[in-house]
Amino acid sequence: MIQIIPFTAQHVKEVGALIVGIQRDEFEIAITLEDQPDLEDIPGFYQQGEGNFWVALAEGKVVGTVALLDLGNHQGALRKMFVHAGYRGPGHGVSARLLETLLDWSRVRGVKEVYLGTTEKFRAAHRFYERNGFQLVPADELPPRFLKMVVDTRFYRLAL
């Protein structure tokens, strides 16, 4: 059974290993944990204001992550959505449940728009976001506080 719960300090090592493992090993993105200081201080970076960070657990192990970064002005950025390859797809529903958790949280807290950035390599993610109502937006239409990652080349917006 999959549980979706807010991040706690006990998950820090597993979260880093999952995310960097997918980025480097699966998608060959030259990035390290040190390149992502947000992962070294998840509470200080994500669990502020209207933001939060969730983990998907299978038998107590982290198999998925998603975060909402509070951008102010009733806007948020979906960040760090990663799911272990063995838990992807509709059979497990991990991605859908992570996204649903983030969007429910956002609506309750008055977030009106959720933005995200992704890379060209994450084609399955593009289809997933588009199926869930996200629309492509040009980079120059992103909110001023949106943090563009060097590897991000596609940007999406969902109005809530």
Side-chain angles (χ1 to χ4, degrees), residues 1 18 20 28 44 60 82 85 92 106 112 122 125-126 140 143 147 153:
M1 179 169 134
L18 174 74
V20 174
E28 299 175 348
F82 290 93
H92 295 284
S106 298
K112 303 293 183 204
F122 294 171
H126 304 165
D140 62 1
L147 300 173
T153 54

Side-chain angles (χ1 to χ4, degrees), residues 89-142:
H92 295 284
V94 175
S95 297
R97 288 189 51 210
L98 284 165
L99 181 61
E100 179 183 345
T101 299
L102 180 142
L103 295 178
D104 287 349
W105 170 276
S106 298
R107 287 183 188 102
V108 167
R109 282 157 182 79
V111 175
K112 303 293 183 204
E113 297 174 305
V114 176
Y115 292 84
L116 68 91
T118 187
T119 74
E120 289 298 325
K121 291 184 177 193
F122 294 171
R123 289 192 175 87
H126 304 165
R127 292 188 298 274
F128 173 77
Y129 294 130
E130 290 165 6
R131 274 195 317 272
N132 283 282
F134 284 83
Q135 297 182 337
L136 271 173
V137 294
D140 62 1
E141 290 183 19
L142 295 169

Side-chain angles (χ1 to χ4, degrees), residues 35-80:
D35 293 331
Q36 303 174 80
D38 56 324
L39 294 178
E40 307 253 338
D41 183 18
I42 289 170
F45 197 83
Y46 293 108
Q47 295 176 313
Q48 301 291 318
E50 306 308 328
N52 207 344
F53 193 107
W54 296 270
V55 295
L57 301 176
E59 298 177 18
K61 297 205 180 293
V62 174
V63 298
T65 64
V66 71
L68 180 71
L69 178 63
D70 184 357
L71 300 177
N73 200 31
H74 305 286
Q75 298 172 318
L78 184 155
R79 302 274 308 268
K80 302 301 185 188

